[in-house]
Amino acid sequence: MAQKPSIPKGTRDFSPAEMMRRQYIFETIKGVFRTYGFAPLETPSMENLSTLLGKYGDEGDKLLFKILNSGDYAAGLSDEEVRNASKICEKGLRYDLTVPFARYVVQHQGELAFPFKRYQIQPVWRADRPQKGRYREFYQCDVDVIGTRSLLCEVELVEIVERVFRALGIRVALKMNNRKILCGIAEAIGHADKMMDITVAIDKLEKIGLDNVKAELLERGLRQEAVDRLQPILELSGDNTQKLYRLSEVLAASETGMKGIGEMRTIFGRLERAGLDLPVELDLSLARGLNYYTGAIFEVKALDFAIGSICGGGRYDDLTGIFGLPNLSGVGISFGADRIYDVMTGLELFPEEVGCSTRVLFTNLGEAEQDAALPLLRALRDAGVAAEIYPESGKMKKQMEYANRRAIPFVAIIGSQELEAGAATVKDMRSGEQRQVAFGELVENFR
């Protein structure tokens, strides 16, 4: 007996109904991106490992899917060389869309007009442990602008977040921080040398709790005194203005920290003047554990559904520098399409019509009925109405069951009586109501 087929853990098949819902998410997001002048871009699924390694921190590097060289890659290699992955793996599946974007910018810099604004919707891969809301293969919807340090870009990204989730019907809250503030905090507690250790640990605060974060910081070499000084900073309360004021007292001696505070004051001030209907909170525990962030960082969470962040990003001042083009600042944000899908499914937010690929099904009751239906089908399709005919003549019950299983909302019945009357019987499959519609009026009926 043949083995039952399966797919790798952490990956999924998507049925037609699921794909229609996913496309609804993608098209909604694309529409907002285009409103702000961003153009589409695609990059290959695989990149050279030299492009990917060292860009995501030690933990990120461990999650890279590496691709074995093709052909007789092991010929002539010793056992030790075979064990050395660099000898047999020179490529990897992309971990995110930002690093490939930076590589693209450097490689094609002579063809681009800066600031360069692009959006990119493609899958990424991470060799992570699969669990609810966390997959090994998933889509990201990225939007970035590179070639400017203007904080107007951060303000636009927040506006994009507001518009996308308002269009999708998801209530969200946006949390922000600044890596310069985190650097100032590291200096203030006497561990400027442990900046990355601190950010990696506190980025886990919501997942593992304060006590476990403090334990991890001690394991990473921070003194107990420093950990004790960090706790009240992470627990600062009040509105954004109050938090920034208190921070300015704590970080007064840190030039970098004060610069981060100034940036956040500018961003929050502009957002307030823009009148956004979106909760935006300064969250000092937000760290975004990627090495390339240097300024404002973002994270978005759904208010009505328990899941991790569904959107995140930040400012990176020199990501292109690692590819030979220094001092080209950029900022971007990524929408997690798979988690957004889970939220919308759990909250039943998809419009009913999104789940049907066909709006009208014509029954097939014989040759004469087929001949009458074909020009009507053509007219509906010419008008942009998705329509089809059941491919074989047969019993009405079977055809109605087919329409129900496909969630087709309307069935146009043409039988002998309809041929004689020159009118189709249109059945609303949701309400069960039926009405006669003249053949010449079918298109107007479904506009």
Side-chain angles (χ1 to χ4, degrees), residues 215-230:
E216 182 171 331
L217 288 169
L218 292 172
E219 290 174 6
R220 289 176 176 270
L222 271 74
R223 299 185 302 275
Q224 182 66 57
E225 177 189 0
V227 174
D228 292 340
R229 293 175 65 186
L230 175 63

Side-chain angles (χ1 to χ4, degrees), residues 386-403:
E388 61 178 283
I389 185 171
Y390 194 79
E392 302 168 354
S393 62
K395 293 182 178 180
M396 180 73 76
K397 181 180 178 182
K398 181 180 180 180
Q399 298 184 44
M400 289 296 184
E401 288 175 351
Y402 174 79

Side-chain angles (χ1 to χ4, degrees), residues 116-232:
F116 177 50
K117 304 175 75 172
R118 83 84 173 84
Y119 72 82
Q120 193 168 346
I121 299 179
Q122 289 186 276
V124 299
W125 294 267
R126 297 182 185 178
D128 211 343
R129 179 178 296 175
Q131 53 187 286
K132 182 181 179 181
R134 186 179 294 273
Y135 308 102
R136 286 174 171 167
E137 178 187 58
F138 56 95
Y139 269 74
Q140 289 184 335
C141 307
D142 277 23
V143 59
D144 288 79
V145 55
I146 195 166
T148 175
R149 297 180 187 273
S150 172
L151 296 178
L152 286 174
C153 299
E154 277 83 345
V155 174
E156 281 200 348
L157 290 179
V158 175
E159 290 185 1
I160 286 172
V161 168
E162 179 199 35
R163 289 179 184 271
V164 164
F165 290 112
R166 184 175 62 199
L168 293 174
I170 303 174
R171 292 196 322 118
V172 299
L174 174 71
K175 295 187 176 184
M176 293 188 68
N177 199 3
N178 194 297
R179 290 296 280 265
K180 295 183 180 71
I181 291 177
L182 290 171
C183 182
I185 291 172
E187 293 176 6
I189 65 174
H191 273 296
D193 60 321
K194 297 287 187 179
M195 164 70 176
M196 292 312 302
D197 291 299
I198 293 170
T199 57
V200 168
I202 69 174
D203 199 45
K204 302 174 183 176
L205 184 61
E206 187 171 325
K207 297 177 185 175
I208 66 176
L210 182 59
D211 289 341
N212 288 321
V213 167
K214 289 164 67 176
E216 182 171 331
L217 288 169
L218 292 172
E219 290 174 6
R220 289 176 176 270
L222 271 74
R223 299 185 302 275
Q224 182 66 57
E225 177 189 0
V227 174
D228 292 340
R229 293 175 65 186
L230 175 63
Q231 180 172 340

Side-chain angles (χ1 to χ4, degrees), residues 245-284:
Y245 177 78
R246 180 72 183 100
L247 271 176
S248 66
E249 295 178 331
V250 176
L251 307 184
S254 170
E255 181 180 350
T256 302
M258 292 303 294
K259 186 174 181 181
I261 290 171
E263 290 177 0
M264 297 311 295
R265 281 176 172 155
T266 299
I267 294 169
F268 289 143
R270 288 174 176 168
L271 289 174
E272 185 176 350
R273 288 189 289 275
L276 270 67
D277 184 23
L278 173 70
V280 180
E281 176 193 355
L282 176 65
D283 183 350
L284 297 175

